[in-house]
Every structure is written in C-alpha cells, then in structure tokens.
Amino acid sequence: MPDPIVSSTPPAEWSAQCARCHLLFHSSDWIKLLEASFDVKTDYLWDEDTGCGAALSSFKAGPFRIGYLGFPAGGLVGGIGPDAPTIEHWRSRGGEMSPVAIRIPVSGFVDVGEFELAYEATPETAIVDLPSWSLDNVSGNHRRDVQKGHRSKLEVMDASSDEDAAAVFAIYKETLKRRRGTMRYNATYFEKLVALARQRSDIRVMLAKFDEKISGFTVIVRHGAVASYLHGGIRLEFRHLQPSALLIHEGIEWAQAQGCSSFNLMSSPPGQPSLVWYKEKWGAETREHRTYVLPLRPSYRLFQAAERLYRRFR
C-alpha cells in the first residue's frame, strides 16, 4: 500500500472484495451496523495498484476518537494484515483521518510479524484444526455437559425478532454484572445484529429455550475462513441445563459445515486463567493476541492520561 487513498466512502471494489473473501468485519453491512449502534465514523484506506485496503472504525471516547482496524478482528481487505511500511503510510496520512490513534488487533493465529509499537497482550484461544475436530476429543466434562444439554429438552433456534434481541441484551447485562465487566455494547447493537443475522448467512444469534423461556444465547460469525465466538451468556436459573455448552457445540458444528478452518473463542481478559482453561477444554490452544497502538496526533497523549485515570477510578 505505497500511497493509500483516504475516503469516508468505500471504493468501488470494496463490496466485491468483501463478498468474495467472506470478510464480514470489513463489509458495508457490518460497518453500517456499527455506525447505527454507536457514535462511529469510518475511514477507508485503499491502494488501487494492489487492491488492498483497510476500514478504520473510530469510536468516540470523551472528546477523542480512537480508531480500530477491522473491528473487532483486524486484518485487511485483499491481504492478511498490515506490514511496517503500511503502518508508516498510515502515520503519514493521520491528519486526514478521524482518530487520534489506531488500535491494530493482531491475532496470535495469524503470521504478520511484529511492529515497533506499544501493545496490550491478552490470551487468545482457538480450535486450530476445525475440520478434524470432534466432540470425542474434548474434555470429558464438556462432553457430559453437551450431552446433558441435549437430554434437558433445551431447544436451539435462531433469534428472529426485536423481542429476542431485547432478551439477549438483558442476558448480556446480567452476565457482565456477575463478572464485573465493562458494558461495551448497547441494546441497539443487539437489535441491529439480530436483524442483520436474518439477512446474512455468516452470522448466527442462537438461543437456547426451555419451556419457551430463553435460557442463554451465543453469537457466532464467520469472517474469512475463521468462525468466531463474539458474545454469549446464560440465565443462572437455567445453568444446570447446560445451555452454554449446547450452544457452543452447535456453533462449532455450524462453523464446520460452513467450511471454516478454525474456531476462535477470542481473547480472555488478563488474570482469568479459569476462563482460558475452560476454552482450551474444547480442544483449543492459546496464543498471545496483541493490540498495537499507532498514535496519529499529539493529542493522543492527553487521551492516554484520561484513560489511565478512568481505569484507576472506575
């Protein structure tokens, strides 16, 4: 990408590239979902010579905007990931973009090298050989949980209405409260996600129901050759029925049917080894995920100071 074009609208080739390579997180549908759900501005970078580009979604953080490359997974259209010369070009064109800095997610399961940038590391867990995966090869506890879920008369179905989306959001909030997590998604996001899943075959918002009551949900998506577990949660009163195990198993089998090469259970917060252990018991392995930060403007230092204060006193 020797001289990328920066634009607020996608180039003519964009949609065709995304459709051909199954790039959900760079697609216009996904970007419109983010823009409709949050205060997001999008910058497109495109190199006409190589047919390679990037979508930067800039989220508002107080008076600042922080950009994310291909939110949430990273990567490029027409390529695996940015290289050092590409990043330097982005730095030189920073004044034409919305954010004060770009966060660049780099999966531990993608070989794009290392960058001379500051980064945050988290443990990322994935089933790396999905075509040969079998429930027979996972932890005995997980096998029993899946079998119990089948015996418990739980019914797995796809979310199909605004009422389903509202129930999913309620479970999401309950789950975060139990785990003392930070709420990053809102009701509009889940409403738009359910609506988009009805239109696209690469998104599934799955529900587990018992006596017509939603006991849990899981969101699985396909991006490229990788299926990813985006969100999930259960109602505690149904935990004994094992809706989470049943939904994850359903998601893995769906990803296999889609022809995906791997199933990414995504990054876990630092300091939660039990969560990493739970994911690995599905027959997965863990590597280091890095989120690099590329400052574009001097005001990024002010953002850093504000972010440190927020993390300290929240």
Side-chain angles (χ1 to χ4, degrees):
M1 190 180 294
D3 190 17
I5 298 170
V6 179
S7 173
S8 60
T9 58
E13 302 90 341
W14 191 267
S15 293
Q17 281 265 35
C18 290
R20 184 163 54 250
C21 301
H22 303 285
L23 300 179
L24 170 66
F25 295 136
H26 293 292
S27 70
S28 296
D29 285 342
W30 183 258
I31 290 169
K32 288 176 182 177
L33 179 151
L34 295 178
E35 291 175 342
S37 303
F38 311 101
D39 186 355
V40 167
K41 291 184 179 179
T42 307
D43 294 304
Y44 296 89
L45 292 85
W46 184 258
D47 180 358
E48 293 182 343
D49 292 335
T50 63
C52 187
L56 303 176
S57 298
S58 300
F59 292 78
K60 192 170 183 182
F64 308 98
R65 284 193 176 275
I66 301 298
Y68 288 82
L69 174 65
F71 181 87
L76 301 178
V77 172
I80 296 176
D83 53 18
T86 298
I87 288 176
E88 286 308 309
H89 282 297
W90 291 351
R91 194 197 305 271
S92 68
R93 304 292 291 274
E96 302 174 46
M97 296 183 244
S98 304
V100 298
I102 301 173
R103 287 179 173 163
I104 305 170
V106 176
S107 171
F109 298 92
V110 176
D111 184 14
V112 296
E114 299 183 2
F115 307 126
E116 294 183 0
L117 297 170
Y119 65 87
E120 291 188 359
T122 52
E124 179 185 11
T125 309
I127 299 170
V128 296
D129 185 9
L130 186 61
S132 66
W133 182 91
S134 168
L135 187 61
D136 294 335
N137 299 327
V138 307
S139 159
N141 287 339
H142 283 359
R143 285 201 305 275
R144 287 191 293 272
D145 290 345
V146 171
Q147 291 162 359
K148 185 174 183 179
H150 282 296
R151 292 194 303 268
S152 65
K153 298 182 181 180
L154 284 171
E155 185 178 3
V156 176
M157 61 185 63
D158 291 291
S160 61
S161 67
D162 289 347
E163 290 75 17
D164 288 341
V168 165
F169 178 60
I171 296 173
Y172 167 75
K173 288 196 299 182
E174 291 174 9
T175 303
L176 283 180
K177 185 176 180 180
R178 289 198 305 269
R179 298 176 179 174
R180 298 181 181 180
T182 301
M183 186 177 298
R184 303 183 186 278
Y185 301 91
N186 55 36
T188 300
Y189 167 81
F190 284 103
E191 180 182 322
K192 299 293 183 183
L193 187 62
V194 169
L196 188 57
R198 294 200 299 265
Q199 302 170 21
R200 296 184 61 115
S201 62
D202 50 4
I203 305 174
R204 287 197 69 188
V205 183
M206 298 184 297
L207 309 176
K209 286 190 174 182
F210 182 78
D211 286 342
E212 299 301 316
K213 297 179 181 179
I214 297 176
S215 61
F217 80 96
T218 296
V219 180
I220 309 292
V221 303
R222 177 186 178 180
H223 176 77
V226 179
S228 296
Y229 175 105
L230 279 194
H231 310 288
I234 64 169
R235 295 193 186 279
L236 281 183
E237 60 264 37
F238 297 104
R239 181 171 55 184
H240 64 288
L241 301 177
Q242 302 299 336
S244 180
L246 186 62
L247 287 167
I248 291 175
H249 182 236
E250 174 78 12
I252 294 173
E253 290 195 327
W254 172 78
Q256 285 181 315
Q258 290 280 308
C260 294
S261 61
S262 62
F263 187 89
N264 198 315
L265 289 152
M266 306 296 278
S267 294
S268 303
Q272 294 193 21
S274 61
L275 178 57
V276 175
W277 175 83
Y278 173 84
K279 293 178 180 180
E280 289 177 342
K281 292 300 181 180
W282 284 100
E285 64 180 74
T286 300
R287 301 179 186 175
E288 183 180 77
H289 180 284
R290 293 184 177 185
T291 300
Y292 291 92
V293 180
L294 172 64
L296 298 179
R297 301 180 186 177
S299 55
Y300 176 64
R301 293 182 180 179
L302 295 176
F303 170 79
Q304 283 182 299
E307 186 177 41
R308 282 194 293 267
L309 285 173
Y310 172 77
R311 289 179 175 178
R312 181 178 179 183
F313 293 108
R314 70 177 179 180

